[in-house]
Amino acid sequence: MKSEGPYVASTTELTRKQIDRLRTVLNETVEIHGKGNFPTISARLIDIISCVREKLRQAGMPPKSVKLNGGAASHVASADDFSYADLDLIFPMDVENSDSFDKVREAVFDTIMDMMPSANKTKINADTLKDVYIGKMVKVSGDDDRWSLFSLHNDFGRCIELKFVDKMRRQFEFSVDSFQITLDPLLDDFNAPDAKVYIESMFGDVHQAMSHLHERLIDTRRPEEIRGGGLLKYCHLLTRGYKAARPSKCRQLERYMCSRFFIDFPDVVSQEQKLRNYLDNHFGSNNDQRGWSCTDYAARGDPGRESWFASLGLLGYAFMNPSPGNTGVAARPRPLTDITYIPSQKVGRISSTATLMDVLMPKFAVTKNSLLDF
């Protein structure tokens, strides 16, 4: 009889220090920026979450729980000062049909209306709220995925993403962003002295994921499930000093990510739109940047953005120019025709008269059959 392997826990209890950090995150005043002359909504994060939960209950669609996900959850779990921009929240619930999606949307819009500063709200309808305060709306209804997402706009990249999930095949990209923290104990009694709060890693092994977070290591599982291959998030982690947890597999993973990125975003228009969206969501945006090309973002952005573009350019170059034994993207490439990587003391910078796509577009046709096993 085959013996079973050691038990792997996906869930563990937060420490008191982590719970205190979680309270700080929930107690933070966040801003939802309106377009035009519409006012900025300022409220504590916990008040927004509680309002959405109550609206769903009133609509007869109570969420099973509320979970903090993404960078904010990693910040709570981290032993050091893990920086984050996005505030991702998951509401697991039963979504049976289109009426369920409509009720979720109404709950979100009613929450925005309640949170708006006192003013004449009688002439404000759902379409107005969507145009003014919602940065992105997504609805997915399929056999393996049934969920909707509402991104509440913030000019500085600190968007609040509300995700209402019945089924979702993939809920993380890398182990360090795989954490989900159940918030209900604090939503029910924020100052409860003996609150028990649990954190789960969708990566599978919560202790290994914690170790990766503390040691700044990059790892994933079943990368074929990641839309876009996780390429942009991978470059973001590189700029923050993360390294591969399995260096021997790093080269394969990088080629896989590039291949999958070009499969999911096969033309220049979709690629540039994906880059713009990622930059806006993680580095912020303002009115002056709306006409910028991807090269403008790289050459005229802040140091963090420049470093991110440099890593992306290097990875694209390594993908197009593989060399035996190369297990990373640290090597400096020779200058290309229109693109040059110019290292500086602190960050890299892309200097170009062409678009960044010219670096990343592969020199050979990429098909699903060309994906490498990882």
Side-chain angles (χ1 to χ4, degrees), residues 47-292:
D47 293 335
I48 295 176
I49 298 170
S50 298
C51 189
V52 172
R53 186 175 69 160
E54 182 58 29
K55 296 293 184 184
L56 290 171
R57 287 174 173 174
Q58 293 174 2
M61 294 189 61
K64 299 173 183 177
S65 60
V66 183
K67 298 183 179 183
L68 183 68
N69 186 41
S74 298
H75 167 78
V76 172
S78 177
D80 54 18
D81 190 15
F82 182 94
S83 61
Y84 65 96
D86 50 338
L87 291 162
D88 297 334
L89 295 153
I90 297 177
F91 295 76
M93 60 195 310
D94 294 325
V95 181
E96 299 176 352
N97 48 45
S98 58
D99 289 340
S100 299
F101 282 112
D102 292 341
K103 290 179 180 179
V104 168
R105 182 182 59 190
E106 291 173 5
V108 173
F109 288 173
D110 287 347
T111 297
I112 295 174
M113 188 75 77
D114 287 355
M115 293 291 171
M116 286 182 64
S118 298
N120 184 5
K121 304 178 183 180
T122 57
K123 296 182 179 180
I124 300 177
N125 55 33
D127 289 336
T128 301
L129 291 176
K130 181 181 69 174
D131 293 338
V132 172
Y133 290 109
I134 303 295
K136 178 173 60 176
M137 286 177 54
V138 178
K139 182 174 75 172
V140 177
S141 182
D143 294 336
D144 298 322
D145 290 282
R146 188 179 298 120
W147 52 272
S148 61
L149 177 145
F150 298 81
S151 179
L152 309 184
H153 178 70
N154 181 281
D155 288 340
F156 307 107
R158 293 187 67 80
C159 301
I160 302 171
E161 293 204 342
L162 308 173
K163 192 172 292 183
F164 304 89
V165 178
D166 185 348
K167 295 186 294 184
M168 179 175 285
R169 181 171 53 181
R170 182 78 181 198
Q171 298 190 40
F172 75 101
E173 290 183 282
F174 299 96
S175 60
V176 295
D177 67 1
S178 67
F179 301 106
Q180 294 185 5
I181 301 173
T182 302
L183 301 178
D184 295 78
L186 296 187
L187 295 178
D188 295 335
D189 187 352
F190 186 73
N191 295 311
D194 299 320
K196 292 185 180 295
V197 182
Y198 291 90
I199 182 171
E200 179 181 8
S201 171
M202 309 312 292
F203 177 72
D205 187 335
V206 66
H207 299 293
Q208 185 179 38
M210 288 273 196
S211 176
H212 290 166
L213 180 64
H214 298 155
E215 297 176 24
R216 305 179 78 83
L217 298 176
I218 303 172
D219 200 4
T220 190
R221 290 179 179 170
R222 298 186 298 277
E224 68 277 3
E225 296 178 355
I226 306 176
R227 178 167 171 78
L231 175 64
L232 306 186
K233 180 61 176 287
Y234 178 72
C235 292
H236 202 168
L237 291 173
L238 289 178
T239 65
R240 297 170 67 176
Y242 284 74
K243 298 179 181 179
R246 296 180 288 169
S248 62
K249 291 286 188 179
C250 181
R251 184 60 174 155
Q252 281 185 309
L253 176 61
E254 290 169 356
R255 289 179 59 81
Y256 188 100
M257 288 189 294
C258 288
S259 297
R260 180 61 195 260
F261 182 84
F262 290 115
I263 287 173
D264 291 335
F265 306 100
D267 57 83
V268 173
V269 174
S270 63
Q271 292 161 9
E272 182 161 349
Q273 185 61 46
K274 179 63 177 177
L275 289 173
R276 285 178 179 274
N277 290 341
Y278 190 91
L279 288 166
D280 289 345
N281 290 336
H282 293 83
F283 295 95
S285 63
N286 55 52
N287 293 333
D288 294 336
Q289 297 171 356
R290 289 181 180 176
W292 286 15

